[in-house]
Amino acid sequence: EPEVTQTPSHQVTQMGQEVILRCVPISNHLYFYWYRQILGQKVEFLVSFYNNEISEKSEIFDDQFSVERPDGSNFTLKIRSTKLEDSAMYFCASSARAGTISYEQYFGPGTRLTVT
Amino acid sequence: DQQVKQNSPSLSVQEGRISILNCDYTNSMFDYFLWYKKYPAEGPTFLISISSIKDKNEDGRFTVFLNKSAKHLSLHIVPSQPGDSAVYFCAATHPLLGGSARQLTFGSGTQLTVLP
């Protein structure tokens, strides 16, 4: 069964450094998302992406964040200058094949980002 | 932001019995609801969903009930199995969230433990 994959599984970085989290969504899906979960808190929406542009972003997704689909398979989240409060699990998700109306999102295993 | 609430942080059930997980929401614009299961160190796994035009959806051992007037949904698992032990999240979405790429709003989760 197709699945969303994410790399790396764990990333440790120093405050102020740039990180890139990578995701390979399910191959025939059209919509892509990033969510995060700070330890002990809810899963929070960051950004959605469709047709090579951002559909919507939350207030968390400030100028330090960017997303890109550099080729036909990868979907990346970049944090330009990491802060301690960026430490969280970051989940990529994808949804909906062409010609379907489906709101079910399929999540990857997550990348644990630790900012020291 | 408490638009989706899961008031029980934990639930313990004997194997073979019914597990009932509850979720309340406040935003009447939500028109689609989903349940996800999450094991430690993994991403959320989609379980079952329901549209607001329905009041029940069933898939094998899992049934979701929606009471729109009470803004309440529940997930029933019958019979419960030890492998069902996980954190269960309800999530909701509505048409104004992200256009075609709808963001999900998650509850805080309920830890289900099925005792052998």
Side-chain angles (χ1 to χ4, degrees):
Chain A
E1 187 169 323
E3 57 183 21
V4 177
T5 59
Q6 289 185 243
T7 53
S9 57
H10 191 190
Q11 174 88 49
V12 181
T13 189
Q14 287 192 325
M15 198 166 49
Q17 295 296 303
E18 174 184 287
V19 294
I20 298 176
L21 310 183
R22 303 180 192 280
C23 168
V24 179
I26 293 172
S27 63
N28 55 1
H29 279 183
L30 301 176
Y31 305 102
F32 314 116
Y33 312 83
W34 284 100
Y35 291 82
R36 79 173 186 190
Q37 186 180 28
I38 295 171
L39 189 63
Q41 298 186 22
K42 290 185 178 187
V43 176
E44 301 174 287
F45 168 79
L46 292 178
V47 66
S48 57
F49 192 87
Y50 169 68
N51 201 25
N52 283 319
E53 60 184 25
I54 290 175
S55 288
E56 190 173 18
K57 56 186 180 181
S58 71
E59 61 274 9
I60 303 168
F61 194 89
D62 61 22
D63 291 344
Q64 293 299 313
F65 290 87
S66 62
V67 289
E68 192 178 33
R69 188 155 162 83
D71 52 42
S73 60
N74 290 284
F75 179 51
T76 62
L77 174 69
K78 182 193 290 186
I79 309 175
R80 219 174 320 276
S81 177
T82 49
K83 303 188 281 284
L84 293 176
E85 53 265 37
D86 293 328
S87 295
M89 281 291 287
Y90 287 80
F91 295 107
C92 173
S94 68
S95 69
R97 301 186 307 276
T100 66
I101 299 175
S102 170
Y103 305 127
E104 288 83 14
Q105 296 179 20
Y106 296 87
F107 285 76
T111 293
R112 177 168 297 284
L113 177 65
T114 302
V115 182
T116 61
Chain B
D1 182 353
Q2 292 286 321
Q3 294 191 72
V4 179
K5 290 182 281 190
Q6 294 176 257
N7 292 319
S8 299
S10 63
L11 173 69
S12 290
V13 170
Q14 209 67 38
E15 181 179 5
R17 306 295 287 268
I18 185 171
S19 295
I20 301 176
L21 297 113
N22 293 302
C23 180
D24 297 295
Y25 61 95
T26 56
N27 191 337
S28 57
M29 295 288 292
F30 288 137
D31 68 346
Y32 204 82
F33 304 87
L34 308 92
W35 283 95
Y36 284 84
K37 177 171 75 173
K38 188 181 180 302
Y39 295 116
E42 294 186 13
T45 300
F46 170 71
L47 272 178
I48 192 169
S49 60
I50 188 167
S51 163
S52 60
I53 63 174
K54 297 186 174 182
D55 54 21
K56 178 182 172 182
N57 188 27
E58 195 170 349
D59 184 1
R61 295 187 298 115
F62 302 92
T63 303
V64 55
F65 295 91
L66 175 62
N67 182 335
K68 278 192 297 182
S69 61
K71 294 192 177 67
H72 177 82
L73 64 154
S74 60
L75 174 68
H76 292 209
I77 307 173
V78 183
S80 302
Q81 300 171 353
D84 295 330
S85 297
V87 178
Y88 288 78
F89 293 98
C90 70
T93 184
H94 72 64
L96 297 180
L97 291 180
S100 300
R102 292 189 178 200
Q103 65 171 272
L104 300 180
T105 300
F106 281 84
S108 54
T110 297
Q111 171 70 57
L112 174 65
T113 302
V114 180
L115 305 167

